[in-house]
Amino acid sequence: SVRCKDFSLCYWNPYWMLPSDVCGMNCFWEAAFRYSLKVQPAQRMHLAVVACGERLEETITMLKSAIIFSIRPLQFHIFAEDQLHDSFKGILDSWSFLQTFNYSLYPITFPSENAAEWKKLFKPCASQRLFLPLILKEVDSLLYVDTDILFLRPVDDIWSLLKKFNSTQIAAMAPEHEEPRIGWYNRFARHPYYGKTGVNSGVMLMNMTRMRRKYFKNDMTAVRLRWGDILMPLLKKYKLNITWGDQDLLNIIFFHNPESLFVFPCQWNYRPDHCIYGSNCQEAEEEGIFILHGNRGVYHDDKQPAFRAIYEALRNCSFKDDNIRSLLKPLELELQKTVHTYCGKIYKIFIKQLTKSIQDRYDRPPKE
């Protein structure tokens, strides 16, 4: 018993070099105890979405795609109209057996003195995203996505882009267009916009701690303004000139503060614009689509059947490993039926990364 009391030597000595008066068995247990202290739970990735109207199914399918492929645990922040809360809760609670995510439900809220103006901007609750840094005050970093987003590779991979931000960058988005000849901002915008063709805010990665701290240059006053102070003056100045609501306001902000934006490639926000008149996202041609963005309702009509095929495959997929592995062959058959469209002609880029994600996550033995 005397030999087993002194554990301090165990820290510095392998068990075969222990002094004769130290208990080797206790060193074994102490090492295991020390290891358990060092192993910290994986940091959660925070993902936010805003859902109104008929967007329940779309949002649930997006969340499912995030869960299926991601490795680290997820924290969902779901901002939804009150009548959708019970439906979200019922579905997400039924997924609790997965133990890979937590979620929080929030009402749609705007600053009380200007709530009516923000609700009228573009779509009923789209501008909610502008206030996420002010509402989620305890969240350091966040990935915001529209409801019509589908993850075709782990959220972990876009989350890792936060480490690539330089000291001045606070957010990341993809360009609105790759091809200026079909660009909207460079042809029609009546307000400042970022870069040559603007940026699309459907996928927006944010370091919200930096966003809350930063003072932004602007064209309303010589004084730099913080995030919470710049939004309403911008709306008042440009509300008659903006078409795409909150996305236009973000373009104006980053036009005046270009050093604050990290621009990621189009494969992280792949939309019908990237193939509707012919392929114009080179990165997706090489590596496949990482995040699919079915804007303009293409998951629910026949205008872009390749997009709809991906959506329906993931919507109907369960969380069973065999079900996930087996979705590729019938999906490819469906995509082959879409080759009469420009997007369908390049259908292989729709499943290239999806195939790799399924193989990496479900066809290989897990790493220790």
Side-chain angles (χ1 to χ4, degrees):
S1 60
V2 175
R3 291 174 58 211
C4 294
K5 286 181 178 179
D6 185 5
F7 297 150
S8 60
L9 290 170
C10 306
Y11 191 90
W12 303 107
N13 293 282
Y15 71 89
W16 62 86
M17 294 178 60
L18 288 174
S20 58
D21 59 343
V22 175
C23 176
M25 179 59 72
N26 271 339
C27 282
F28 172 81
W29 289 115
E30 189 203 6
F33 176 70
R34 281 201 315 273
Y35 179 78
S36 70
L37 290 178
K38 290 179 183 178
V39 177
Q40 299 295 326
Q43 182 187 9
R44 290 185 178 271
M45 301 177 291
H46 292 260
L47 187 150
V49 65
V50 179
C52 287
E54 304 297 318
R55 300 290 183 140
L56 175 68
E57 180 194 270
E58 221 175 59
T59 307
I60 288 296
T61 306
M62 179 276 291
L63 297 174
K64 183 191 290 185
S65 72
I67 293 169
I68 285 175
F69 300 117
S70 295
I71 299 163
R72 289 164 59 186
L74 291 154
Q75 176 68 47
F76 297 138
H77 301 273
I78 303 166
F79 292 79
E81 290 175 311
D82 294 344
Q83 63 267 29
L84 297 178
H85 280 219
D86 287 344
S87 298
F88 272 116
K89 193 173 188 306
I91 295 169
L92 295 174
D93 286 350
S94 73
W95 295 353
S96 60
F97 68 93
L98 295 168
Q99 298 183 329
T100 55
F101 73 94
N102 288 334
Y103 74 92
S104 299
L105 279 166
Y106 307 84
I108 302 297
T109 54
F110 296 107
S112 56
E113 63 272 21
N114 306 111
E117 281 195 78
W118 289 114
K119 285 179 182 177
K120 290 187 297 183
L121 185 64
F122 189 45
K123 293 179 182 178
C125 62
S127 54
Q128 179 74 80
R129 85 180 87 181
L130 294 175
F131 301 96
L132 297 180
L134 309 177
I135 298 171
L136 303 175
K137 295 179 181 179
E138 303 304 314
V139 178
D140 173 66
S141 296
L142 183 77
L143 175 63
Y144 165 85
V145 295
D146 285 348
T147 60
D148 50 13
I149 290 296
L150 291 172
F151 293 95
L152 305 186
R153 70 181 290 172
V155 176
D156 308 62
D157 295 332
I158 189 168
W159 190 259
S160 69
L161 296 181
L162 286 164
K163 296 179 181 177
K164 295 189 176 182
F165 284 17
N166 65 28
S167 60
T168 66
Q169 289 165 337
I170 64 171
M173 287 183 275
E176 174 71 10
H177 289 282
E178 302 299 308
E179 174 50 68
R181 287 176 294 179
I182 61 171
W184 194 91
Y185 284 108
N186 55 294
R187 293 188 297 160
F188 305 117
R190 295 176 294 160
H191 59 79
Y193 56 89
Y194 178 89
K196 294 181 179 179
T197 60
V199 285
N200 183 280
S201 59
V203 179
M204 185 175 179
L205 185 64
M206 295 176 273
N207 182 321
M208 298 204 300
T209 300
R210 290 185 181 183
M211 290 178 78
R212 288 185 285 261
R213 290 175 180 168
K214 183 174 174 62
Y215 288 86
F216 293 86
K217 299 188 290 290
N218 61 87
D219 59 358
M220 300 168 293
T221 171
V223 178
R224 297 190 180 201
L225 300 173
R226 298 181 89 162
W227 189 264
D229 302 320
I230 199 172
L231 297 175
M232 196 61 215
L234 269 184
L235 178 60
K236 287 182 176 178
K237 177 169 182 175
Y238 287 105
K239 65 181 178 180
L240 299 179
N241 298 90
I242 59 178
T243 303
W244 307 112
D246 52 306
Q247 177 173 293
D248 291 348
L249 295 182
L250 289 167
N251 267 280
I252 295 167
I253 289 172
F254 288 110
F255 169 84
H256 293 290
N257 301 270
E259 75 288 348
S260 298
L261 188 65
F262 179 97
V263 180
F264 48 66
C266 49
Q267 68 210 58
W268 292 105
N269 186 354
Y270 191 92
R271 287 161 282 122
D273 292 325
H274 290 117
C275 56
I276 191 170
Y277 303 117
S279 182
N280 60 58
C281 178
Q282 184 66 37
E283 292 87 350
E285 291 178 32
E286 295 171 0
E287 299 181 274
I289 298 167
F290 295 169
I291 294 178
L292 195 69
H293 186 176
N295 61 337
R296 304 196 191 101
V298 296
Y299 295 149
H300 313 292
D301 59 31
D302 297 320
K303 293 178 181 177
Q304 296 298 336
F307 281 75
R308 183 169 182 168
I310 299 287
Y311 174 78
E312 291 182 348
L314 288 169
R315 181 194 63 192
N316 298 330
C317 182
S318 75
F319 289 110
K320 294 180 180 178
D321 290 6
D322 290 343
N323 194 275
I324 295 168
R325 289 191 198 100
S326 62
L327 72 80
L328 286 171
K329 287 185 178 179
L331 174 58
E332 186 164 9
L333 292 174
E334 283 299 312
L335 287 169
Q336 287 171 358
K337 298 175 185 177
T338 71
V339 293
H340 61 283
T341 65
Y342 278 115
C343 294
K345 285 178 182 176
I346 54 170
Y347 75 86
K348 289 188 177 179
I349 73 169
F350 284 77
I351 55 172
K352 187 172 186 178
Q353 180 59 48
L354 183 61
T355 301
K356 184 178 184 302
S357 296
I358 291 174
Q359 289 174 345
D360 289 348
R361 190 80 172 87
Y362 295 96
D363 289 351
R364 296 179 185 178
K367 296 179 180 179
E368 291 186 10

